[in-house]
Amino acid sequence: MPTESQLGEILAARRLITQEQLQQADQLVGTTRRKLGQILIDQGYISEEKLLHALAAQHHMTPWMLEKDPPEMAAVHRIPIEACVKYQMLPVQVRGDLLLVAYGNCPTYDVVEAAKALSGMRVEPVLASEERLQLLIEDFAAGKPIRSGMERHVAQAMSEMGTRDKSGPKATDVTEEATRPVIGIVNQILADAIRMHASDIHVEPFEDKVEVRFRIDGQLIKLREIPQELHSMLVTRIKIMSELDVVEYRAPQDGRMSVALGRRSIDVRVSVLPNVHGQRIVLRILDRQVAMKALEEIGFTPSNLQIFRSLIHKPYGLFLVTGPTGSGKTTTLYSALREVQTSANNVMTCEDPVEYELPGIAQSQVNEKVGLTFATQLRAILRQDPDVILVGEVRDSETATTAIRAALTGHMVFSTLHCNDALSAVPRLMDMGVEPSLLATCLIGVQAQRLVRTLCPKCKAPRSLTDEETRLFSRYRVPISDEPVFTPVGCNQCYSTGYRGRVAVHEIIKVDRTVESLIAQRASMEVIGAHVDGTQYSTLQADALERVLSGVTSLEEVRRVVYFDDL
C-alpha cells in the first residue's frame, strides 16, 4: 500500500479529492491518529468504493467490495484459517479452477505462491478494504459465520438502539438523527437491489419480524429478515429520503427519491400503505439503463422486428401494444419513440406516471386530482403541433375516441391496452364504444407481448422432450429437431433460481386491407384470426416455443407465462 502522503497525492492527482480536502484530512490524521483513507470517507470527500478502485488501479489489481460481495462459503474453506490470519488474506470466490483471494494490501510474490500451494488452485489476488477484511478474518478465526454487510448493519443498529423503548414509533423518532442506526440498513437494501437488477423492493412488517423481498425477473425472492424493533426507524428513514410526512401513519403515501450508485443516479418510486403490523413499503426502482433499450435488445425475432419497424415508421395511424401489467409494454414503446425521434419531428407523451425521462421528448403526467385525465391531456397535446404521440394507456371510451381521432388527423399514436392477445384488442375497443369504421381506418397494427425469464447460462441443463411436449410443439406448428431443450438448475450466479434476465416474446398483427374490411364489418375474432393465420403472423405461443428450442428459456417458464390451449 502507498504511504499516507502517497495516497493523498494519488487521489488528488486523479481529481478524486481537492487539495483543500487533502489538507483538512491531513490535519485530522495528526490529531485523531486515524488513517487518511478512513478520514476521507468519514468526511464525505470520497466513497469507499472510489477509494478502493483508485488503490487497486495503482497496483494493477481488481477491486473487491466485501460489502456488496461477501466471501462465498465454497471459497473460504479452500485455505486453512491459520494461513489466512498469518498472511491477512481471505478467499472470496471460486471460478472453475481459479480462486479469488482478497488482500488488504498489495501481496508479495511469496504470499501469492503460498495461497496457490495451500489451495491447490490458480490464484488471482483482489484488493479489499483492509478494515473490513480484518473483521471478516477475525470472525472466521473465532468460528463465527462470516456475516454479510446487511447482517453487520442490523447487529450495529440493534446495538445502537440500546435500551431505547421498542413499543412503537414516537414523535421524537421522526428526525434524521433518530434514524441514524438504520441508515446503513436502508443503504444496503437499495445497493443490493440495484446490483441484483431488482425491479421492486418489498418491506413487509409482520408480528415478530420484517421481511425484505426483491422482485427479480418478475418473481419475488425473500432476501432477509430484519428485527421488528427496527421497523419504525426503517419507515421513518425511507420517508425522510422520499420527502414524505413522517408523522402520518394512518393514510397511504406516495413519493420519490434519487439514489446515487457510482456515477449513476437512479430514481426510486416509494409507496407506503398502512398494514395490520405497521406500514408496508414498496419501492419501485427506475433504472434508466435497464429501461432504455434499442429495439434489437428487446427480444424481437428478425421477422417480427422487421414488421414492428415497418409499422412504427408509418406517418400516421394508431399502434397498440397489449399485455398484462409488468409485461414490458412501456419499455417497448419507449424504444419505439427513440427509434422514430428526430430533430425534425415533435414527439410528446401523456403518462401515468412518467417513470423515465426521455431526452428530447416532451413528457407530461396525468393528474386526475385536478381533472387532468388521459383524454383532456391528449386534447391539449393536439394543440401543441405534435407528430408522434404516446398515450400511456387507453382506459376508457373518451381516451380511445380521442386517440383515434388524433390518428385520423395525421398523427402517429402509440398506446397500450390491457387484453390477453393482439386479436382481443379489436373487440375490446368496440366495447369501449369506438365506431368500427373509425377503428378500421386508423388502426395500423396491434402487438401482444409477455416477458419470460431467460435461463442462466452457467447452470442450465439439457433434457429431452416428452411425447406430450412434442405434441404441444406440433399443435402450434413449431418444427422440432434432435437438439435437446434446457431446464433450470440454480447456482450462485442466478441466486439459485436457474434464470438470469428476461426477454420479451411477441405476436404482431399488421392491419392490411382485408383486416381493415373485416373490422369495419364487425367480423368476429375467429374470422380475423383465420385471415392473419395465413400471413407472416406468428402467435405468442409459437414465438415462445421457438425460444425454448433455441435454448433461451425453458418450457416450464413459457407455460407459466403464456396460455396454451389444452391438447
Side-chain angles (χ1 to χ4, degrees):
M1 277 289 184
T3 63
E4 298 286 274
S5 59
Q6 289 173 331
L7 174 61
E9 292 170 4
I10 291 169
L11 297 176
R14 291 176 177 267
R15 297 185 178 179
L16 295 173
I17 59 173
T18 65
Q19 288 292 341
E20 182 181 356
Q21 290 171 337
L22 178 59
Q23 290 172 3
Q24 292 173 356
D26 277 334
Q27 292 174 358
L28 290 173
V29 169
T31 57
T32 63
R33 295 184 180 180
R34 293 162 62 212
K35 292 188 176 181
L36 176 64
Q38 193 58 49
I39 289 174
L40 291 171
I41 293 171
D42 292 343
Q43 293 296 313
Y45 296 153
I46 190 172
S47 68
E48 181 179 328
E49 188 169 358
K50 286 184 178 180
L51 176 64
L52 188 62
H53 275 75
L55 293 172
Q58 185 72 11
H59 294 289
H60 307 289
M61 294 174 68
T62 301
W64 191 270
M65 295 297 296
L66 291 169
E67 188 75 356
K68 296 179 180 178
D69 296 299
E72 298 174 356
M73 288 299 102
V76 168
H77 297 287
R78 298 279 178 162
I79 296 178
I81 181 57
E82 296 81 11
C84 291
V85 173
K86 178 180 178 181
Y87 297 113
Q88 283 297 288
M89 63 184 179
L90 192 65
V92 291
Q93 193 177 84
V94 176
R95 296 179 182 174
D97 65 341
L98 179 66
L99 183 65
L100 273 59
V101 181
Y103 296 88
N105 296 289
C106 183
T108 64
Y109 174 81
D110 292 340
V111 170
V112 176
E113 287 299 308
K116 289 180 182 178
L118 290 165
S119 65
M121 302 176 68
R122 294 188 298 119
V123 168
E124 179 185 336
V126 296
L127 189 67
S129 162
E130 191 173 1
E131 290 79 8
R132 292 189 188 280
L133 181 65
Q134 189 173 358
L135 288 173
L136 287 176
I137 293 173
E138 289 174 0
D139 282 350
F140 187 29
K144 299 178 184 177
I146 291 184
R147 298 180 296 177
S148 66
M150 175 59 71
E151 289 169 334
R152 289 194 297 274
H153 285 312
V154 170
Q156 182 180 356
M158 293 298 290
S159 175
E160 288 188 29
M161 282 184 66
T163 57
R164 180 181 296 188
D165 184 9
K166 302 171 185 176
S167 59
K170 294 183 177 182
T172 55
D173 290 335
V174 299
T175 64
E176 186 162 1
E177 178 61 26
T179 66
R180 186 174 58 82
V182 298
I183 288 176
I185 296 176
V186 174
N187 292 345
Q188 187 72 52
I189 289 173
L190 290 167
D192 286 348
I194 294 168
R195 177 176 56 86
M196 296 170 71
H197 302 295
S199 61
D200 300 88
I201 304 169
H202 290 235
V203 181
E204 303 168 298
F206 294 94
E207 184 177 3
D208 58 345
K209 63 185 177 182
V210 179
E211 284 190 358
V212 178
R213 295 195 292 171
F214 291 173
R215 188 175 294 280
I216 300 174
D217 297 333
Q219 300 291 293
L220 279 171
I221 299 174
K222 180 180 173 181
L223 264 292
R224 55 184 56 90
E225 293 180 0
I226 295 173
Q228 170 62 238
E229 292 88 345
L230 299 176
H231 176 248
S232 62
M233 284 197 294
L234 278 173
V235 172
T236 302
R237 177 61 188 168
I238 293 172
K239 283 187 173 184
I240 288 171
M241 294 174 70
S242 48
E243 298 181 351
L244 295 176
D245 185 350
V246 296
V247 179
E248 178 59 69
Y249 59 90
R250 297 167 298 179
Q253 295 185 65
D254 296 307
R256 292 178 82 106
M257 69 172 80
S258 185
V259 178
L261 185 68
R263 297 182 179 180
R264 290 192 292 156
S265 179
I266 296 168
D267 289 332
V268 179
R269 200 171 72 217
V270 182
S271 172
V272 183
L273 180 69
N275 210 341
V276 174
H277 298 293
Q279 298 174 81
R280 186 181 192 277
I281 298 179
V282 174
L283 301 99
R284 167 64 59 88
I285 298 171
L286 306 173
D287 189 349
R288 286 190 59 199
Q289 289 192 356
V290 175
M292 297 294 98
K293 295 182 178 180
L295 290 180
E296 291 82 3
E297 299 175 287
I298 289 177
F300 285 108
T301 61
S303 59
N304 277 342
L305 180 59
Q306 183 180 4
I307 296 170
F308 185 83
R309 274 206 165 108
S310 70
L311 292 173
I312 66 173
H313 281 287
K314 285 183 177 291
Y316 55 85
L318 173 64
F319 181 77
L320 296 171
V321 179
T322 72
T325 301
S327 59
K329 300 186 298 294
T330 301
T331 300
T332 297
L333 289 180
Y334 276 177
S335 300
L337 291 183
R338 292 182 64 196
E339 176 91 4
V340 301
Q341 179 194 10
T342 68
S343 59
N345 63 11
N346 179 20
V347 182
M348 304 187 71
T349 76
C350 53
E351 305 170 61
D352 183 24
V354 175
E355 294 193 347
Y356 303 96
E357 294 185 13
L358 305 175
I361 293 176
Q363 295 173 268
S364 51
Q365 184 162 308
V366 167
N367 187 351
E368 294 187 355
K369 291 180 180 178
V370 297
L372 189 60
T373 63
F374 274 120
T376 56
Q377 193 174 59
L378 182 53
R379 285 195 293 269
I381 285 175
L382 290 173
R383 296 191 288 271
Q384 291 281 314
D385 187 30
D387 296 294
V388 181
I389 304 170
L390 168 63
V391 181
E393 183 185 344
V394 175
R395 293 178 178 173
D396 50 44
S397 175
E398 189 180 10
T399 305
T401 302
T402 309
I404 285 172
R405 295 198 180 280
L408 288 172
T409 53
H411 304 91
M412 186 64 198
V413 180
F414 299 141
S415 190
T416 68
L417 188 67
H418 285 288
C419 54
N420 291 329
D421 53 35
L423 282 171
S424 301
V426 174
R428 178 85 174 87
L429 289 170
M430 289 184 183
D431 288 343
M432 290 183 182
V434 175
E435 285 295 324
S437 57
L438 294 178
L439 181 60
T441 305
C442 73
L443 188 65
I444 62 171
V446 184
Q447 171 179 300
Q449 69 178 59
R450 300 289 189 276
L451 290 176
V452 297
R453 292 179 294 173
T454 54
L455 286 163
C456 173
K458 296 286 186 182
C459 64
K460 65 180 182 179
R463 72 171 180 89
S464 300
L465 291 171
T466 65
D467 291 341
E468 181 185 353
E469 290 168 346
T470 301
R471 289 195 297 272
L472 179 67
F473 280 83
S474 177
R475 164 74 174 78
Y476 289 95
R477 300 197 295 275
V478 178
I480 61 175
S481 64
D482 294 331
E483 295 295 322
V485 296
F486 290 86
T487 190
V489 177
C491 66
N492 291 333
Q493 297 292 320
C494 59
Y495 312 110
S496 300
T497 64
Y499 298 94
R500 288 186 67 186
R502 289 190 290 178
V503 67
V505 294
H506 311 88
E507 66 178 20
I508 308 177
I509 293 178
K510 188 174 182 179
V511 178
D512 56 20
R513 293 289 185 185
T514 304
V515 174
E516 184 179 327
S517 175
L518 291 172
I519 293 173
Q521 296 170 26
R522 292 181 179 268
S524 66
M525 289 173 54
E526 289 75 15
V527 174
I528 298 174
H531 166 71
V532 299
D533 203 32
T535 65
Q536 287 180 287
Y537 171 71
S538 174
T539 65
L540 200 64
Q541 290 81 359
D543 192 33
L545 290 174
E546 287 175 3
R547 309 304 175 92
V548 174
L549 293 178
S550 62
V552 172
T553 189
S554 69
L555 190 56
E556 297 90 338
E557 172 67 6
V558 162
R559 298 185 81 161
R560 183 186 69 85
V561 176
V562 180
Y563 174 78
F564 290 89
D565 292 329
D566 292 333
L567 293 175

